[in-house]
Amino acid sequence: MSTEQTAISDSLRLDDQLCFELYAASRALTGVYRPLLDEVGITYPQYLVLLVLWENGPSSIKEIGAALQLDYGTLTPLLKRLEGMGLVARRRRADDERTVEVALTDEGTALRERIKDTPVRISHALSLTAAEIGALRGLLRKVQTNIVRYTATSTATNTE
């Protein structure tokens, strides 16, 4: 283990915990989203579902779950609420009745226009340059990829 790794791993101070920085930043960022989404009556997780549908069109629950890294049990209540609000419709696929497809309603499609300035409003709150946002996004994706790889390796090693 390098000296740098030892220094990082030996610290139990809150200020030295990367997990806390990620947690606090995530809470702060979703806090900025909250009033913007309240204006149109949706929550942040509902917004994420709508983003997937606006980007990909009608999608199976499995596809939405994969895109958002959410399990069926978490996603289903979100979809039920969105359906109750008239923003999405769920239906079984004709070619495979085991698969439930989710599609935007006209209201769901129209909502996109009402909140299309959300990313710009969020970027103002971040006060980062486009290059900084790109670098941060890249680092977060690298962190996620590395953790998934580490977890898969650790799980495989522990089961042997």
Side-chain angles (χ1 to χ4, degrees):
M1 189 179 282
S2 72
T3 306
E4 182 179 331
Q5 288 173 319
T6 302
I8 290 171
S9 65
D10 286 349
S11 175
L12 291 178
R13 294 186 46 218
L14 181 62
D15 285 349
D16 292 338
Q17 304 307 306
L18 180 59
C19 59
F20 179 73
E21 295 300 334
L22 288 168
Y23 171 75
S26 177
R27 285 182 45 91
L29 185 56
T30 55
V32 174
Y33 274 94
R34 191 169 296 109
L36 303 177
L37 300 177
D38 282 349
E39 291 175 13
V40 295
I42 62 172
T43 64
Y44 181 72
Q46 291 168 343
Y47 174 68
L48 296 179
V49 169
L50 292 169
L51 286 173
V52 170
L53 295 172
W54 289 329
E55 184 176 345
N56 300 329
S59 303
S60 70
I61 293 177
K62 184 177 182 178
E63 292 165 338
I64 296 168
L68 298 177
Q69 300 174 26
L70 294 174
D71 62 47
Y72 187 84
T74 302
L75 193 54
T76 299
L78 283 172
L79 294 172
K80 282 184 178 180
R81 281 189 221 100
L82 287 169
E83 188 172 38
M85 297 164 69
L87 299 174
V88 302
R90 294 179 296 160
R91 65 177 182 268
R92 299 216 174 262
R93 284 197 177 152
D95 61 330
D96 180 1
E97 291 211 7
R98 296 170 296 172
T99 303
V100 176
E101 185 174 73
V102 181
L104 293 163
T105 62
D106 290 342
E107 279 185 64
T109 300
L111 182 61
R112 183 179 189 189
E113 185 62 28
R114 291 180 51 207
I115 62 172
K116 69 180 181 184
D117 66 336
T118 299
V120 171
R121 293 168 76 181
I122 295 299
S123 71
H124 290 344
L126 290 172
S127 296
L128 298 173
T129 65
E132 290 170 327
I133 289 172
L136 178 59
R137 186 179 289 121
L139 279 172
L140 291 171
R141 286 180 178 152
K142 182 176 181 178
V143 165
Q144 181 183 10
T145 298
N146 291 347
I147 289 171
V148 167
R149 184 179 307 122
Y150 173 82
T151 303
T153 303
S154 294
T155 303
T157 303
N158 290 337
T159 59
E160 292 177 359

